[in-house]
Amino acid sequence: MSRGHHFILGLLLWLGATGGWAHAQKLERGPYLQLPTDSSMVIRWRTDKPSKGLVRWGLSPESATNRVQHAGSLSEHVVQLTRLKPNTRYFYAIGTETNHWLTPAAPEFSFITPPRPGTVQPVRIWAVGDPGTASTNQSNVRNAFYQIHRQRPADLWLMLGDNAYSSGTDAQFQRAVFDVYGAILRQIPVWPTLGNHDAMHADSPTVSGPYYDIFTLPTLGQSGGLSSGTEAYYSFDFANVHFVCLDSEDTDRSRDGAMAAWLRADLANTTRDWVIAYFHHPPYTKGSHDSDRHSDSGGRMTEMRENFLPILESGGVDLVLTGHSHSYERSYLLNGHYGLSTNLQPSMILNAGSGRLDHEGSYGKNAGNAPHQGAVYICAGSSGQISGGKLNHPANWVSLNKLGSLLIDVDGLRADIRFIGDKGQLRDYFTIEKK
Amino acid sequence: MRPKPPSLNIATALAALGLLFRTAVPLLAHGPDHAFILVLTEELTRQPGNAELLLQRGERYRSHGDLVSARTDLEAALASNPSLQPARLRLALVARDQDKFDEALTLLDTTLAAESTNLLARATRADVRLRAGRPAEAIPDFDRVLADSSHPRPELYIARARAVLSADTNALPRALDGLNEGIARLGPVLSLQMLALDLEERSGKIDSALRRVDTLMAGMERKERWLMRRGDILRNADRGKEAKVEYRRALKALDALPERLRRTIASEELRKELGARLAGNTPNAGTSPNR
């Protein structure tokens, strides 16, 4: 047989084994999970060639035989699984209409749907701030979390902005998000907020650019909360926790703006036990940014502090998570500090202790999201790099120039918050208890 | 709206990248933006007057709020290449943020003359015209941006409604129509609904306002403040008897809350407010259901 015949035979054997030309399709991104509700989940992925994306799913790898397919031939695949049961693990595989499967239905390709809103059960949240350096630092912080995650997986994770350096291009998102967090993205839904570096190629007013193209976020309160009408800011519920994502970068930050009006109503409406807010620009930082300098970051830190903290505190917020400064800075239990650091009054520090159960004790609050009971503010922008700074803002109980990420465990009326270093070190911890 | 940074040409980008690798470790200690600005600065010493580099650095300065440095770079970029529209647009944004509205408008007019479909430039011009106290001129720009945007945000509809009202205080129905257009397109967005509710009440469309409250309330977990708002609308329309029915409903909704939500300062204050309204001790005024 000639070499030409060998080639043709080989090609035919390959086609036979793989099922057709469609098998040449390659998975370029994902799968990753978005927009979870107690009865649905969005699965997204990208292929090098267009096709009709197909998902098969079920309660076990063997029974993953339900099928759903999106319309049209696309490279960016977005498929929503519906009529799911709450708090239930589903296994899924993604592929093409020609039954070419790009992933197996296996434990690493599975997710658990959220519980019904309001359900009281343990909730674990992972949060990374300014992670997107695609560096060893970022991988180390991730690996330290993975060690903990293996023992008790997180239920959801938050990205606090600057998710892809240096300017939020699609290629940078690939390197800093999908290449780094691929294993967790396929199992746990991620909820991002826009950072200034992501915004360099994203445009909130027209909701366009890689950040908005990549993420599928709620605009109509699909996952709980009220309709914001935009992916730039939104809210959602998970169990007994209400999450609020604000856009501190590229949306009107005035008190009478649409985001402020929506936030007031959203907070007034929640009946969840806990309220966690997150956005990119920290109200209290003396790290690589200075929240006292109005010119720093175009006044965004000042505006968020002056205009949005009063709304959040009136709405009973418990935790406010931010990034931007590449450090870890964690406040006391605070209320009413809307000015410069020099204007911090003792009366604004509701609890001057560490919040640690094994030291001065936890931070206490009344149940019911009553206004102005105190909140803890955390700047956790060191999940990809550290950049120093004076680190001496008086509102903060601790300020560290250390790499790490946040782990938040909510169980009933108690929340334990830990800052985990890049080698798994416990660098800070505190507890909030409600009665 | 944020303009996309212009892309560097390949040679410049490679040169900058090479330099970044040589200098990355010490520079990254101050953050990637700072590092990139230093890289661009060093590259500009080799290529003085390179318009693309000046534009890149100017935009970095602008995004960090250093408007003076941004202006210097963007003006230099335009001097070097007057047809570089992205630099003109960014300079307009700097001028806007420095409250130099006339300058911003001149720059935006030039950009739009060259690129009439540039949505960002048009939205910026609408915004600047509104800020400059020229709402009537802003309206056509808002109309065009909303018509041409595939995903318009609620803020644009609200800004247009405010422009309409600023231009003509008798234009409540037109402003309301614009908001309803947004609701029809985006869904029952809360910020649009709340402004529409205010306008309906102000224009005496009481039944429409009540229907809107009912629609809003249907999706709410907590209804007590919306019932109070319903009562206030009726009271302000001199329908006191009906208003009291709503206040009682609000009290009932408050009582039905779980104890942890009922026994809060906010709930107690609301109970007092409702009691005062039922006793007729409060003047007529618009209220918001928000805390």
Side-chain angles (χ1 to χ4, degrees), chain B residues 241-256:
Chain B
K241 245 183 174 175
E242 293 168 80
K244 287 191 175 180
V245 172
E246 299 303 327
Y247 294 144
R248 286 193 195 95
R249 284 177 68 199
L251 277 172
K252 215 170 167 183
L254 198 54
D255 289 338

Side-chain angles (χ1 to χ4, degrees), chain A residues 226-248:
Chain A
L226 300 185
S227 304
S228 68
T230 172
E231 290 183 303
Y233 51 90
Y234 57 87
S235 61
F236 66 96
D237 289 329
F238 191 99
N240 62 336
V241 187
H242 184 63
F243 292 87
V244 175
C245 171
L246 300 177
D247 175 14
S248 60

Side-chain angles (χ1 to χ4, degrees), chain B residues 38-97:
Chain B
L38 289 179
V39 168
L40 290 167
T41 302
E42 194 163 331
E43 194 56 32
L44 275 163
T45 60
R46 275 190 283 279
Q47 303 181 53
N50 182 309
E52 283 191 8
L53 290 172
L54 286 164
L55 172 53
Q56 280 278 343
R57 194 175 65 176
E59 179 58 5
R60 296 272 164 169
Y61 280 133
R62 193 183 74 81
S63 72
H64 273 262
D66 184 352
L67 299 181
V68 175
S69 302
R71 172 179 282 277
T72 303
D73 275 0
L74 294 169
E75 285 177 344
L78 272 180
S80 176
N81 180 0
S83 64
L84 194 62
Q85 294 303 336
R88 184 167 284 107
L89 178 50
R90 284 168 185 76
L91 187 56
L93 292 168
V94 170
R96 179 198 64 181
D97 293 345

Side-chain angles (χ1 to χ4, degrees), chain A residues 165 197 199-200 203-206 227-229 233 249 251 256 265 267 269 271-273 295 297 300 368-369 387, chain B residues 1-2 4-5 29 32-33 63-64 153-155 158 162 186 188-190 220-222 260-261 264 290-291:
Chain A
Y165 285 103
H197 286 272
M200 288 186 176
D203 186 14
S204 290
T206 54
S227 304
S228 68
Y233 51 90
E249 169 61 23
T251 288
D256 61 349
L267 292 174
N269 188 53
T271 58
R272 305 288 90 86
D273 292 318
S295 61
S297 307
R300 289 173 177 83
N369 296 330
S387 303
Chain B
M1 294 187 189
R2 181 170 297 279
K4 308 295 173 284
D33 250 9
S63 72
H64 273 262
R153 287 187 56 182
E155 281 81 354
I158 290 171
R162 286 181 176 156
L186 302 182
V189 175
L190 200 86
M220 300 286 174
E221 289 193 48
R222 299 186 65 164
R260 65 186 173 80
L261 298 173
T264 65
N290 305 329
R291 275 190 272 199

Side-chain angles (χ1 to χ4, degrees), chain A residues 49-339:
Chain A
K49 293 174 184 166
S51 68
K52 285 186 178 174
L54 180 67
V55 177
R56 64 182 171 90
W57 53 276
L59 292 168
S60 68
E62 298 75 31
S63 67
T65 53
N66 302 294
R67 288 171 179 238
V68 61
Q69 184 176 332
H70 64 68
S73 191
L74 304 166
S75 300
E76 287 291 340
H77 307 276
V78 184
V79 172
Q80 185 173 37
L81 311 188
T82 56
R83 287 182 286 180
L84 307 179
K85 290 178 186 163
N87 243 349
T88 303
R89 181 178 289 279
Y90 288 93
F91 297 80
Y92 68 95
I94 57 170
T96 69
E97 75 271 26
T98 55
N99 282 334
H100 170 53
W101 298 106
L102 298 161
T103 66
E108 60 267 36
F109 296 96
S110 68
F111 60 83
I112 299 174
T113 48
R116 288 195 198 287
T119 303
V120 178
Q121 67 176 51
V123 180
R124 173 164 283 185
I125 304 141
W126 185 42
V128 289
D130 303 58
T133 52
S135 64
T136 310
N137 284 341
Q138 184 184 9
S139 301
N140 289 344
V141 169
R142 175 205 61 189
N143 292 343
F145 161 71
Y146 277 178
Q147 292 297 325
I148 300 167
H149 177 68
R150 278 189 201 105
Q151 294 151 27
R152 195 294 197 197
D155 297 296
L156 67 147
W157 60 301
L158 311 176
M159 297 183 91
L160 306 176
D162 285 359
N163 311 307
Y165 285 103
S166 64
S167 56
T169 64
D170 186 79
Q172 289 164 357
F173 268 99
Q174 184 64 43
R175 285 195 297 275
V177 177
F178 295 100
D179 292 350
V180 177
Y181 301 120
I184 188 173
L185 281 163
R186 65 180 68 133
Q187 294 186 319
I188 299 172
V190 63
W191 297 93
T193 191
L194 184 74
N196 51 301
H197 286 272
D198 310 318
M200 288 186 176
H201 276 84
D203 186 14
S204 290
T206 54
V207 196
S208 59
Y211 173 87
Y212 290 108
D213 293 342
I214 287 167
F215 297 112
T216 304
L217 303 168
T219 59
L220 297 171
Q222 296 97 317
S223 300
L226 300 185
S227 304
S228 68
T230 172
E231 290 183 303
Y233 51 90
Y234 57 87
S235 61
F236 66 96
D237 289 329
F238 191 99
N240 62 336
V241 187
H242 184 63
F243 292 87
V244 175
C245 171
L246 300 177
D247 175 14
S248 60
E249 169 61 23
D250 208 10
T251 288
D252 179 3
R253 294 173 295 277
S254 61
R255 282 172 210 184
D256 61 349
M259 183 161 72
W262 165 81
L263 177 64
R264 285 189 193 94
D266 182 74
L267 292 174
N269 188 53
T270 188
T271 58
R272 305 288 90 86
D273 292 318
W274 295 88
V275 177
I276 297 177
Y278 60 103
F279 48 88
H280 186 59
H281 294 84
Y284 313 122
T285 180
K286 292 280 185 183
S288 48
H289 293 278
D290 183 346
S291 55
D292 280 347
R293 271 201 307 130
H294 184 74
S295 61
D296 191 330
S297 307
R300 289 173 177 83
M301 292 180 286
T302 309
E303 289 170 7
M304 292 307 289
R305 186 175 64 243
E306 291 180 351
N307 297 341
F308 279 85
L309 263 50
I311 302 172
L312 288 166
E313 291 184 349
S314 292
V317 71
D318 300 296
L319 271 175
V320 177
L321 313 178
T322 59
H324 199 43
S325 270
H326 305 144
S327 47
Y328 173 79
E329 297 167 271
R330 191 264 287 181
S331 78
Y332 300 96
L333 187 71
L334 294 177
N335 177 57
H337 179 36
Y338 311 135

Side-chain angles (χ1 to χ4, degrees), chain B residues 177-197:
Chain B
D177 286 348
L179 292 170
N180 282 329
E181 175 196 317
I183 292 163
R185 189 166 172 192
L186 302 182
V189 175
L190 200 86
S191 51
L192 297 182
Q193 295 268 39
M194 287 169 66
L195 183 56
L197 180 59

